[in-house]
């Protein structure tokens, strides 16, 4: 009996592997994070495409918030009116059930926030670290005013929480 040469095996085995069913094909995908009564739905009012206006009526920029990773992640895609960009990942931390946001912009600033829903608004607080490494406290509130309008208010403290001032106050107008 003659056995195939090693060269022939190198040619035939990949073809066999491509046609054979794999164990991965039999694995069921995980259930979505966004079941109807799930805490993962608490920030759904922010999902969509938006024109963001300042309180004075000037356009601050555009934002697109999309659900991804089977509903477990909200991905923010920000473009300011002057062209700068930033992104955030928003998710429920399975260890404590709190919402988390990690923001990074093209200038190197980073924001870390955590919190949850209070009185119908999403409230997250944490820290802003600018590109130079300066740290300050930051808190954000997302208030759904109606199905087409969300207010996003950020306040910053430069004195460890003794006083707060408005850092950003934007009104999200749905564009879809």
């Amino acid at each position: 009996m003659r056995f195939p040469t090693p060269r022939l095996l190198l040619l035939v085995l990949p073809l066999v592997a491509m046609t054979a069913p794999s164990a991965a094909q039999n694995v069921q995908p995980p259930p979505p994070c966004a079941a109807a009564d799930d805490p993962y739905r608490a920030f759904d009012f922010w999902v969509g495409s938006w024109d963001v206006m300042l309180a004075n009526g000037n356009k601050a920029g555009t934002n697109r918030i999309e659900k991804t990773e089977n509903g477990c992640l909200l991905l923010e895609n920000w473009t300011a009116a002057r062209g700068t960009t930033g992104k955030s990942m928003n998710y429920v931390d399975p260890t404590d059930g709190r919402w988390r946001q990690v923001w990074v912009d093209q200038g190197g600033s980073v924001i870390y926030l955590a919190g949850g829903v209070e009185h119908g608004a999403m409230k997250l607080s944490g820290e802003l670290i600018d590109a130079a490494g300066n740290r300050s406290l930051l808190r954000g509130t997302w208030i759904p005013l109606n199905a087409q309008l969300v207010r996003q208010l950020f306040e910053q403290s430069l004195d460890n929480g003794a006083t707060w001032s408005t850092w950003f106050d934007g009104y999200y107008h749905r564009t879809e």
Side-chain angles (χ1 to χ4, degrees):
M1 177 171 182
R2 226 174 126 204
F3 292 100
T5 65
R7 281 189 189 164
L8 181 61
L9 284 175
L10 288 176
L11 293 173
V12 172
L13 285 178
L15 294 174
V16 171
M18 288 190 321
T19 59
S22 71
Q25 290 173 334
N26 296 326
V27 174
Q28 296 297 316
C33 292
D37 60 348
D38 209 324
Y40 293 92
R41 300 287 308 263
F43 220 166
D44 278 5
F45 65 84
W46 195 37
V47 174
S49 294
W50 307 89
D51 281 335
V52 183
M53 309 301 284
L54 300 174
N56 65 10
N58 292 334
K59 187 170 184 176
T62 60
N63 214 343
R64 190 179 78 255
I65 316 303
E66 58 188 286
K67 290 184 95 159
T68 185
E69 300 309 319
N70 216 22
C72 299
L73 178 71
L74 296 186
L75 180 62
E76 175 184 14
N77 303 279
W78 166 257
T79 302
R82 64 184 183 275
T84 57
T85 60
K87 293 192 182 297
S88 75
M89 293 190 312
N90 303 266
Y91 59 94
V92 175
D93 186 330
T95 63
D96 63 9
R98 296 176 73 200
W99 273 90
R100 306 257 179 209
Q101 183 181 90
V102 178
W103 161 273
V104 179
D105 66 28
Q106 72 179 56
S109 294
V110 178
I111 298 172
Y112 299 102
L113 302 174
V117 176
E118 294 178 27
H119 308 292
M122 181 62 73
K123 294 188 174 196
L124 306 176
S125 60
E127 184 175 46
L128 162 67
I129 307 168
D130 69 21
N134 301 308
R135 297 172 179 264
S136 61
L137 296 180
L138 193 67
R139 62 186 181 197
T141 305
W142 290 255
I143 307 160
L145 300 175
N146 61 49
Q148 305 300 314
L149 184 64
V150 173
R151 181 182 183 197
Q152 181 187 55
L153 174 65
F154 275 102
E155 299 170 293
Q156 181 181 34
S157 176
L158 300 172
D159 55 11
N160 206 27
T163 60
W164 293 87
S165 60
T166 298
W167 186 72
F168 179 81
D169 190 3
Y171 290 83
Y172 282 59
H173 298 265
R174 193 174 295 279
T175 62
E176 5 177 79

